[in-house]
Amino acid sequence: MLLELDPDQEVLREATARYLTDRVPTEKIRRLRNDVSGFEADYWRAGAELGWTSLLVAEEHGGGSISGAGLVDLTVAAHEFGLRAAPGPLVPTNVVAAALSAVGGAAHEAVLAGLLEGTAIASWGYAEPAPNDRLGTVELTCRVEGDEIVLDGVKRPVESAGVAQFLLVTGRGEAGLTQVLVPTDTPGVTVEPLRTVDLTRRFSSVRFDGARVPASALVGELGGAAEQVERQLQLALVILSAESVGAMQAAFDMTVQWAFERYSFGRPLASYQELKHRFADMKSWLEAAHAISDTAASAVGAESPDAPELVSAAKAFIGEYGVELLQDCVQIHGGIGVTFEHDLHLFLRRVVLDRALYGTPAEHRQRIAGVVEHLKERA
């Protein structure tokens, strides 16, 4: 999270922190582990009132940032989500809201209004299952028949699809990459829940078997969605990275406290040289994760030319060292660290899943290599 928040950002942080602490303490998260949605509807509506869904939306559409940098503001809230392993479709709803605000036009104003109020939930159908599960692969077909668009294919994993009323789906057609907003009750759309390691978020596989939507469901131009999809991916990565850093911070703080309180052979665990070295490594990874996450958020928010490179660098670094830090925290806790009753696994589960979403560290390193190669060719 940013080292220095301005007064308005501090208000957002405090309000989000206080609300999450009151509404979804870890005991509540455990009780919700078998709940279909993983959160209560009024919890999300009240969160929307705090600004969780409006920071990436233009003022003329009812949104607006609090500091002039909406994405950076949103990372403040996302960090608090990570610190508390809080539930809720923060990533997909904001990605869809940003897309509808930017290129949705009048046809989707009502849906966007529902997202801002928290009365509607939308998810982002981007990833696909094997063998099309490599980052950026889109094989779902999207063809035009008369005044309708017909979808065939599978999206997986799709966060909160089981409770979403709308899905922003990326498909490929003769004209190129296209996006449409599909109501989840459209005939031909089947949502099947998936099992994941994370207790706080729900994911589904969504199948489209000849699902038909009117041409007005288009978001942007037919065949012209490549740039907007890249933008959506960058937004998702920034929010996800901020959440992961929050989870890393929570686990690190918890482990440092444990090491000072737990005694072995008459000495605090934290006094042993080996653990001091491990804490030094973890602190280095944590501070680097904060810095690279904030840098990526600023670059993507400002639509800087180096945003693709920086956001992939953040995802690759945090994905790699986030899991390593959490595994070290579990080991230092000893046996208690692997029990269901201890909070540590909530953060480990979250970081492990974040590592896999929207591209693995290896895939993002490959993206960085591609960017560097492109720069070399242009030089």
Side-chain angles (χ1 to χ4, degrees):
M1 192 179 69
L2 298 174
L3 289 176
E4 293 184 6
L5 303 179
D6 71 25
D8 291 331
Q9 288 174 328
E10 183 59 30
V11 169
L12 172 65
R13 191 203 65 76
E14 285 187 3
T16 299
R18 189 165 52 249
Y19 180 72
L20 292 177
T21 301
D22 291 343
R23 288 298 304 266
V24 284
T26 52
E27 297 80 15
K28 179 77 171 286
I29 291 172
R30 285 190 180 81
R31 290 199 298 272
L32 288 170
R33 68 182 183 275
N34 295 321
D35 186 87
V36 173
S37 62
F39 60 90
E40 296 161 341
D42 66 327
Y43 156 79
W44 187 251
R45 282 196 296 272
E49 292 176 2
L50 294 177
W52 293 353
T53 60
S54 60
L55 294 168
L56 302 184
V57 175
E59 288 185 7
E60 59 266 32
H61 297 138
S65 67
I66 57 177
S67 69
L71 184 58
V72 175
D73 298 340
L74 185 55
T75 62
V76 174
H79 186 265
E80 295 301 320
F81 267 64
L83 275 173
R84 291 163 181 78
L90 191 68
V91 173
T93 297
N94 275 290
V95 168
V96 177
L100 297 185
S101 175
V103 294
H108 301 301
E109 281 184 357
V111 175
L112 179 56
L115 298 182
L116 295 181
E117 294 168 356
T119 54
I121 292 173
S123 192
W124 185 43
Y126 173 68
E128 298 189 4
N132 307 319
D133 55 341
R134 286 188 62 82
L135 179 63
T137 302
V138 175
E139 294 295 330
L140 182 142
T141 62
C142 186
R143 68 180 186 278
V144 178
E145 287 188 4
D147 58 355
E148 292 183 322
I149 298 173
V150 184
L151 304 175
D152 283 288
V154 181
K155 291 295 181 183
R156 170 181 176 176
V158 184
E159 184 176 350
S160 293
V163 293
Q165 290 82 41
F166 302 94
L167 302 173
L168 179 60
V169 181
T170 304
R172 193 175 296 281
E174 292 183 356
L177 216 55
T178 297
Q179 285 196 304
V180 289
L181 190 67
V182 183
T184 51
D185 59 359
T186 301
V189 176
T190 305
V191 179
E192 297 177 352
L194 299 172
R195 293 186 65 184
T196 71
V197 296
D198 192 355
L199 299 185
T200 61
R201 293 170 291 181
R202 305 292 180 266
F203 292 83
S204 297
S205 175
V206 184
R207 176 175 292 280
F208 300 85
D209 295 306
R212 293 175 177 270
V213 292
S216 60
L218 272 173
V219 177
E221 299 293 329
L222 183 70
E227 287 188 11
Q228 68 196 51
V229 172
E230 169 62 24
R231 174 70 179 165
Q232 291 158 19
L233 176 63
Q234 293 178 15
L235 295 175
L237 292 172
V238 166
I239 305 168
L240 197 73
S241 293
E243 280 192 2
S244 293
V245 175
M248 291 169 65
Q249 184 72 60
F252 179 78
D253 292 344
M254 190 184 304
T255 306
V256 170
Q257 182 177 352
W258 164 260
F260 276 103
E261 292 176 351
R262 181 72 175 175
Y263 277 66
S264 176
F265 300 105
R267 295 170 52 188
L269 286 176
S271 67
Y272 288 92
Q273 193 70 6
E274 166 61 18
L275 290 188
K276 289 179 181 178
H277 288 175
R278 293 177 74 176
F279 278 125
D281 285 342
M282 287 194 288
K283 182 66 172 173
S284 300
W285 303 335
L286 181 60
E287 293 305 320
H290 276 285
I292 200 168
S293 174
D294 292 345
T295 301
S298 297
V300 173
E303 301 189 43
S304 168
D306 57 359
E309 185 178 358
L310 290 173
V311 77
S312 281
K315 180 63 163 63
F317 184 89
I318 295 168
E320 201 75 58
Y321 287 100
V323 174
E324 193 155 347
L325 184 147
L326 263 295
Q327 292 288 6
D328 272 3
C329 290
V330 170
Q331 287 193 23
I332 291 171
H333 271 82
I336 195 173
V338 296
T339 60
F340 187 80
E341 290 73 16
H342 200 281
D343 289 346
L344 196 54
H345 71 98
L346 298 175
F347 303 101
L348 173 62
R349 291 168 183 270
R350 195 172 193 104
V351 170
V352 166
L353 186 57
D354 284 353
R355 181 186 187 277
L357 292 174
Y358 312 125
T360 63
E363 288 174 312
H364 281 283
R365 284 195 290 269
Q366 194 170 27
R367 259 171 62 100
I368 297 167
V371 171
V372 172
E373 187 66 24
H374 183 62
L375 293 175
K376 182 181 175 183
E377 290 173 358
R378 285 195 307 174

